[in-house]
Amino acid sequence: MRGLGPVVLGMALLAAPAAWARDGVEVGGNSAFSKLVPAESVEQTAKTQYLQTLQQAKQQEALAPANHPQLVRLRRIAQRIIPHAAAWNPRARDWQWEVNLIGSKQINAWCMPGGKIAFYTGILETLKLNDDEVAAVMGHEIAHALREHARERMGKSAATNLGANLLSQLLGAGQLGQTVIGGGAQLLSLQFSRDDETEADLVGLELAARAGFDPRAGITLWQKMGAQNKGAPPQWLSTHPAGKNRIAEMEKNLPRVMPLYEQAKKS
């Protein structure tokens, strides 16, 4: 959205509610707390931390080369999902998307703000994920970035720890956000709420379905997660186990996304 005039920006804002009214899942708008922290600052911080993570993996000879079969597969799946991202967040059109694979036994994957994606070989090999299940994982992680959950958590931290109302009046919301960013926020260690996780599940289902991946794989994915962890939460969702309620919520929303999947298969 940078460089667009106020008229175009206003049109984009007016168009935003249509994203929630169209066919697919319904999760409402993004949290107002995210507005306390500048998106550009969060995305720049994400880029810096992403590069640091990749450099560390490279030093440990754990960063997969571009011709690694699993990385080729991940990037192919991402190429199908990413075109559907902007419907959920217009900023995604300008993101410099990246997908990388890190050699590790961790059952883990994530997407930082700005479209910086990483998978660990452990989640692919241990759970023996098929393409539809990989799309469910990737859709879930991309959804966190599109819904700006990290930015929201940082905004809530600002409101709680710094007194958002007072500082916004004295400094302006932008400076408040810079204060939070300058505090050394570690994006990989941020923990999302149950509501955030539910949103990511549902938006991820829709992203996968629109990309032509079977959204029912989201159910088998979480069943595999539960079996692997024997009921304990997996490492990548340390405070938010899948559980029967989570799977039930996805099952309830399958009728909303299955037509999208069927339509995508025809196109």
Side-chain angles (χ1 to χ4, degrees), residues 163-201:
N165 290 335
L166 176 60
L167 285 181
S168 291
Q169 293 174 14
L170 295 177
L171 303 176
Q175 291 188 41
L176 171 62
Q178 292 291 354
T179 300
V180 177
I181 296 287
Q186 292 298 314
L187 294 172
L188 284 181
S189 64
L190 288 178
Q191 293 183 340
F192 299 129
S193 69
R194 289 186 181 275
D195 286 344
D196 290 344
E197 294 295 344
T198 297
E199 284 186 10
D201 283 345

Side-chain angles (χ1 to χ4, degrees), residues 37 66 113 117 124 147 184 190 210 234:
V37 182
I117 301 169
L124 301 173
R147 298 292 292 168
L190 288 178
R210 289 187 182 278

Side-chain angles (χ1 to χ4, degrees), residues 62-188:
L63 186 63
N67 63 351
H68 190 290
Q70 290 283 35
L71 180 55
V72 171
R73 178 166 77 125
L74 290 173
R75 290 178 173 173
R76 184 180 68 247
I77 292 170
Q79 285 176 348
R80 290 171 56 179
I81 293 176
I82 289 170
H84 303 282
W88 287 97
N89 188 329
R91 292 187 61 80
R93 292 189 182 95
D94 299 323
W95 286 354
Q96 299 300 308
W97 291 86
E98 293 186 48
V99 183
N100 280 285
L101 176 65
I102 297 173
S104 170
K105 293 182 179 180
Q106 292 184 51
I107 300 178
N108 201 1
W110 41 264
C111 177
M112 283 187 176
K116 307 303 184 186
I117 301 169
F119 269 67
Y120 293 74
T121 53
I123 193 170
L124 301 173
E125 295 171 356
T126 303
L127 300 183
K128 299 184 177 4
L129 301 182
N130 61 35
D131 284 2
D132 293 318
E133 290 165 340
V134 169
V137 174
M138 191 177 293
H140 175 100
E141 295 306 319
I142 288 175
H144 277 307
L146 296 176
R147 298 292 292 168
E148 300 187 294
H149 289 154
R151 188 179 170 204
E152 174 190 347
R153 302 308 294 174
M154 295 166 74
K156 287 181 177 180
S157 176
T160 301
N161 299 329
L162 302 178
N165 290 335
L166 176 60
L167 285 181
S168 291
Q169 293 174 14
L170 295 177
L171 303 176
Q175 291 188 41
L176 171 62
Q178 292 291 354
T179 300
V180 177
I181 296 287
Q186 292 298 314
L187 294 172
L188 284 181

Side-chain angles (χ1 to χ4, degrees), residues 7 15 19 52 59 64 83 101 109 122 127 137 185 192 203 205 235 256 267:
V7 175
Q52 291 172 346
Q59 291 173 350
L101 176 65
L127 300 183
V137 174
F192 299 129
V203 174
L205 284 183
Q235 181 177 353
R256 292 180 176 272
S267 60

Side-chain angles (χ1 to χ4, degrees), residues 240-262:
H240 306 289
K244 294 181 179 179
N245 291 340
R246 186 169 196 162
I247 292 176
E249 187 67 23
M250 287 188 284
E251 289 176 335
K252 185 173 72 174
N253 279 270
L254 281 179
R256 292 180 176 272
V257 295
M258 285 301 294
L260 304 177
Y261 167 57
E262 296 296 339

